[in-house]
């Protein structure tokens, strides 16, 4: 629900309920407000149903949804449902006030959920309604949002009296949260939406650029617009799609949406975006991201994948040999020089695992050093160097965090996320030397996508990580320290050598300052390898990464796609 400071007041009732107060902070476990307790306080004359109603509202108010659920007749469902709705609505604070008792026990059922009896209509003796003996209360809800906007409404709850050893319990249904809320819907507070333009003022649309359609939708409401009055719309949305339910009510808070003539500028360059999209047309299941290294501004995000239009920034694939850029960084930070030996043996064994090279280097090659091993992309060289130089098990995860800004949440301007991993770390620390060896050439448990690998290339281009962003000037949260100057210069030399002397021949004759790294990664034991390429051009302030699923060697698919993009965008 975000950072909030709240107060729950339970009004004095004819049934002698006393005031209940509770507060919560932005943490996942709400804390009581100062000088107050989260426990329910009732006067001596309060009934068990009065106490149960007050305790439920107090727990809901404090953000303790597990406790609130435990006070209902659906303990396993009520807590998660309350949490889902309140986190979707995300008010800064909420005030709940218990009102008057609406009926005496033995009257008809509640209107708080489907299947409840109609008030005033007794149940059939053959099918007794559990709500026949419930005590019904009304209560008020006041949600407060940014800019002091509030949404106030009334709802009702029913409390089942105690029976035997069972305590009084609140009957839970989604309509308790809001009378118009069904089990299939959710609540969302939607800010005004404005058109989004590229960095040159050219309007962008999801229809023209499906790869960034969802990002444009988020950008359109992500940043308060100067000159607009405070405004929110409360919408009833579908649980699964998040889209507003047709025919449902919309509650306007504050001034009506008055964004006519306004426009949000983004970092996207429509010319490069179109060039990237076109370059991927020949490669099904592919993605590409282009970044301006000096600022981290994202110039293009393109995907050609019918099943996942967000692949360029959501894929979770092993990056293969493109990750040798990070491994080389770790080795040089440890003192290794470009001319130091890095034996490219036919195989390398660590523990019980035996590692091989790609087909073109199945016999290895003699006289390899760090530079030539990188240019020719020899797996065993990097295994031998990593183990031979006694890199710590966490060396790669530490390097990628400290210098490349990984293994931490990013915010592109549309909310925080840790991109391209199913967890919180793109590069988890290795727990064995065998896993460290596999990680050295981008396999093991490492997962990346074009967005994160383009950022690695961009960091090499300038020597300093700039977290990728979609809004010019946006203050991104992820930070990293600069690469040592000698290390960065060596990395640029290595990447340039991959084009002039190594495996990235598809990028020859593009630019004399362009550098690259090819990669091929095994997604599993049966499918063809993924094709990867990263490239950066310090002079032209461009960095790019491309991934073609099951596309083979990096120079076979990802490389030509990057070449096509750069030529079409005028970057060659």
């Amino acid at each position: 629900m975000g950072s909030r400071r709240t107060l729950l007041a339970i009004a004095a009732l004819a049934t002698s309920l006393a005031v209940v107060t509770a507060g919560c902070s932005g943490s996942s476990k709400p804390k009581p407000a100062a000088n107050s307790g989260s426990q329910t306080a009732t006067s001596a004359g309060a009934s068990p149903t009065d106490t149960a109603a007050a305790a439920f509202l107090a727990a809901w108010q404090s953000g303790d949804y597990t406790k609130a659920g435990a006070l209902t007749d659906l303990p396993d469902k009520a807590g998660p449902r309350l949490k889902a709705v309140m986190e979707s609505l995300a008010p800064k604070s909420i005030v709940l006030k218990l009102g008057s008792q609406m009926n005496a026990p033995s009257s008809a059922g509640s209107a708080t959920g489907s299947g409840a009896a109609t008030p005033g209509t007794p149940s059939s003796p053959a099918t007794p309604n559990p709500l026949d003996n419930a005590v019904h209360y009304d209560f008020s809800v006041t949600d407060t949002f940014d800019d002091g906007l509030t949404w106030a409404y009334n709802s009702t709850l029913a409390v089942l009296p105690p029976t035997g050893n069972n305590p009084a319990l609140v009957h839970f249904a989604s309509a308790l949260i809001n009378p118009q809320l069904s089990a299939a819907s959710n609540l969302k507070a939607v800010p005004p939406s404005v058109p989004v333009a590229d960095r040159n003022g050219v309007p962008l649309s999801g229809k023209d650029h499906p790869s960034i359609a969802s990002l444009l939708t988020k950008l359109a409401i992500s940043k308060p617009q100067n000159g607009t009055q405070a405004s929110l719309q409360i919408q009833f949305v579908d649980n699964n799609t998040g889209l507003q339910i047709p025919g449902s009510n919309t509650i306007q808070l504050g001034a009506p949406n008055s964004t006519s003539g306004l426009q949000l500028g983004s970092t996207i360059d429509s010319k490069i975006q179109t060039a990237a999209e076109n370059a991927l047309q020949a490669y099904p299941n592919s993605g590409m991201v282009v970044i301006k290294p000096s600022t981290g501004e994202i110039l293009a995000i393109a995907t050609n994948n019918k099943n996942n239009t967000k692949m360029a920034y959501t894929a979770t694939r092993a990056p293969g040999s493109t990750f040798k850029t990070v491994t080389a960084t770790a080795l040089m930070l440890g003192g290794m020089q470009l001319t130091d030996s890095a034996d490219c043996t036919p195989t390398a064994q660590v523990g019980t695992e035996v590692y091989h090279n790609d087909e073109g280097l199945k016999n290895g090659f003699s006289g390899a050093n760090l530079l030539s091993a990188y240019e020719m992309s020899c797996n065993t060289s990097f295994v031998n160097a990593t183990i031979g130089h006694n890199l710590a098990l966490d060396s790669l995860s530490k390097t990628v965090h400290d210098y490349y800004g990984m293994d931490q949440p990013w915010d592109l301007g549309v909310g925080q996320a840790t991109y391209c991993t199913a967890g919180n770390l793109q590069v988890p620390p290795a727990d064995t030397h065998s896993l460290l060896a596999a990680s050295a050439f981008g396999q093991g448990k490492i997962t990346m996508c074009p967005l994160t690998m383009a950022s690695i290339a961009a960091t090499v281009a300038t020597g300093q990580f700039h977290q990728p962003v979609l809004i010019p000037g946006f203050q991104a949260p992820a930070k990293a320290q600069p690469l040592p100057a000698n290390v960065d210069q060596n990395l640029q030399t290595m990447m340039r050598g991959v084009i002039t002397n190594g495996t990235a021949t598809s990028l020859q004759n593009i630019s004399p300052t362009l550098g690259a790294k090819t990669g091929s990664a095994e997604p599993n034991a049966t499918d063809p390898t993924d094709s990867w390429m990263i490239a950066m051009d310090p002079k032209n302030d461009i960095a790019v990464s491309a991934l073609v699923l099951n596309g083979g060697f990096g120079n076979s698919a990802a490389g030509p796609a990057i070449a096509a993009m750069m030529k079409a965008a005028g970057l060659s």
Side-chain angles (χ1 to χ4, degrees):
M1 290 172 58
S3 176
R4 51 200 166 94
R5 197 71 178 171
T6 54
L7 175 68
L8 169 65
I10 306 297
L13 305 177
T15 52
S16 303
L17 282 179
V19 175
V20 178
T21 61
C24 67
S25 68
S27 63
S28 59
K29 186 67 174 179
K31 299 179 180 178
N35 301 317
S36 70
S38 60
Q39 71 276 9
T40 302
T42 59
S43 64
S47 70
T49 57
D50 296 338
T51 301
F56 171 77
L57 292 180
W60 173 4
Q61 164 58 34
S62 72
D64 192 342
Y65 305 117
T66 300
K67 180 178 180 181
L71 296 168
T72 73
D73 57 351
L74 295 174
D76 295 334
K77 296 181 179 180
R81 176 63 170 151
L82 264 176
K83 181 179 181 181
V85 173
M86 298 311 295
E87 288 186 348
S88 174
L89 183 61
K92 292 184 68 177
S93 66
I94 177 172
V95 174
L96 303 175
K97 289 186 178 181
L98 187 63
S100 60
Q101 181 178 312
M102 299 171 62
N103 71 311
S106 299
S107 70
S110 166
T112 60
S114 60
T118 303
T121 304
S123 301
S124 164
T127 56
N129 190 326
L131 297 181
D132 281 351
N133 293 321
V135 181
H136 299 258
Y137 301 90
D138 62 15
F139 66 96
S140 66
V141 181
T142 303
D143 293 309
T144 301
F145 300 87
D146 286 330
D147 300 314
L149 296 176
T150 59
W151 179 32
Y153 61 90
N154 296 317
S155 190
T156 60
L157 59 81
V159 183
L160 306 174
T163 56
N165 294 326
N166 298 320
L169 295 172
V170 172
H171 172 64
F172 184 80
S174 291
L176 180 156
I177 304 172
N178 180 278
Q180 299 179 57
L181 188 68
S182 71
S185 62
N186 210 334
L187 294 170
K188 183 190 294 185
V190 182
S193 177
V194 297
V196 180
D198 84 341
R199 63 194 302 106
N200 300 311
V202 178
L204 296 170
S205 75
K207 181 180 180 181
D208 294 335
H209 303 289
S211 299
I212 54 174
S214 62
L215 290 174
L216 292 177
T217 299
K218 291 181 178 179
L219 280 174
I221 61 173
S222 67
K223 190 176 181 182
Q225 305 303 309
N226 294 331
T228 63
Q229 295 177 289
S231 179
L232 278 177
Q233 287 187 346
I234 306 298
Q235 296 179 355
F236 292 84
V237 299
D238 185 274
N239 273 339
N240 296 319
T241 66
L243 301 176
Q244 186 170 14
I245 296 173
S248 63
N249 289 340
T250 296
I251 297 94
Q252 176 67 49
L253 306 184
N257 189 340
S258 55
T259 59
S260 177
L262 296 176
Q263 186 168 266
L264 175 66
S266 72
T267 64
I268 297 293
D269 186 312
S270 59
K271 180 179 180 180
I272 298 177
Q273 177 70 32
T274 299
E277 291 168 347
N278 290 341
L280 296 181
Q281 289 307 303
Y283 305 101
N285 303 320
S286 57
M288 182 184 296
V289 172
V290 186
I291 292 176
K292 186 179 179 68
S294 61
T295 61
E297 293 175 347
I298 298 172
L299 303 175
I301 300 180
T303 296
N304 177 19
N305 187 320
K306 294 180 180 179
N307 297 319
N308 180 11
T309 58
K310 305 176 184 179
M311 193 190 100
Y313 59 97
T314 63
T316 54
R317 309 289 280 202
S321 292
T322 57
F323 191 76
K324 290 172 183 171
T325 308
V326 174
T327 308
T329 304
L331 288 167
M332 289 187 288
L333 289 170
M336 192 172 182
Q337 303 298 315
L338 293 187
T339 54
D340 286 350
S341 176
D343 291 339
C344 183
T345 52
T347 62
Q349 183 168 347
V350 180
T352 59
E353 297 294 329
V354 178
Y355 302 100
H356 301 264
N357 296 312
D358 290 333
E359 182 66 22
L361 287 177
K362 64 180 180 179
N363 297 320
F365 70 92
S366 62
N369 56 27
L370 182 59
L371 175 59
S372 61
Y374 185 88
E375 291 173 341
M376 300 304 296
S377 202
C378 180
N379 294 342
T380 58
S381 288
F382 279 83
V383 172
N384 292 329
T386 298
I387 301 303
H389 283 76
N390 297 313
L391 290 190
L393 292 177
D394 65 348
S395 59
L396 299 181
S397 57
K398 182 174 175 58
T399 298
V400 85
H401 176 275
D402 292 353
Y403 296 95
Y404 291 99
M406 303 283 181
D407 287 2
Q408 54 183 305
W410 289 2
D411 189 343
L412 310 185
V414 294
Q416 287 202 356
T418 305
Y419 287 91
C420 313
T421 172
N424 297 318
L425 305 173
Q426 293 100 345
V427 186
D431 52 11
T432 66
H433 283 94
S434 295
L435 182 56
L436 177 64
S439 301
F441 56 97
Q443 295 281 172
K445 296 182 179 179
I446 300 172
T447 58
M448 293 284 177
C449 66
L451 172 65
T452 49
M453 290 309 302
S455 179
I456 286 177
T459 300
V460 174
T462 62
Q464 172 65 66
F465 167 75
H466 296 282
Q467 194 231 272
V469 294
L470 284 164
I471 300 174
F474 182 78
Q475 297 300 307
K479 306 296 180 185
Q481 58 186 294
L483 287 164
N486 65 316
V487 171
D488 185 50
Q489 184 57 56
N490 285 343
L491 289 169
Q492 291 189 21
T493 297
M494 296 165 78
M495 291 186 71
R496 180 60 188 158
V498 173
I499 296 177
T500 57
N501 305 314
T503 55
T505 56
S506 57
L507 296 187
Q508 291 178 350
N509 303 317
I510 298 290
S511 166
T513 52
L514 185 66
K517 183 67 191 82
T518 55
S520 55
E522 298 176 358
N524 51 54
T526 58
D527 288 339
T529 58
D530 291 341
S531 175
W532 280 93
M533 181 83 83
I534 61 172
M536 60 87 216
D537 190 337
K539 183 178 180 180
N540 291 306
D541 204 14
I542 285 289
V544 58
S545 174
L547 164 65
V548 181
L549 303 186
N550 311 133
F553 294 113
N555 201 46
S556 300
I562 289 178
M565 180 278 296
M566 296 191 74
K567 291 175 181 178
L571 299 173
S572 60

